[in-house]
Amino acid sequence: MKWGAILGISLIVGLLIAMEWNTLCRSSWKTRVAYAVLVLAGWFIAILLVHNPDLPGMTQVLEVIYKPITTFLKIN
């Protein structure tokens, strides 16, 4: 089951790259690096969520990061 989901996610990422290939070849190397980092980060997070669906979402992560600031400023 997990291998099918991983294969499906990888296929979708491959299709994204294939569809943008011509545009990426004409763009600067900074744009290509930024695109690669974002796509690989999204692919990695998707794989992590397949293996462990109980991982906290971005909202929970931001709450942990900003909790000290909100208690310091007394914001509820």
Side-chain angles (χ1 to χ4, degrees), residues 8-26:
I9 292 167
S10 298
L11 180 67
I12 291 171
V13 168
L15 287 172
L16 276 170
I17 293 170
M19 287 176 21
E20 295 293 328
W21 188 256
N22 288 335
T23 306
L24 287 173
C25 287
R26 291 189 301 255

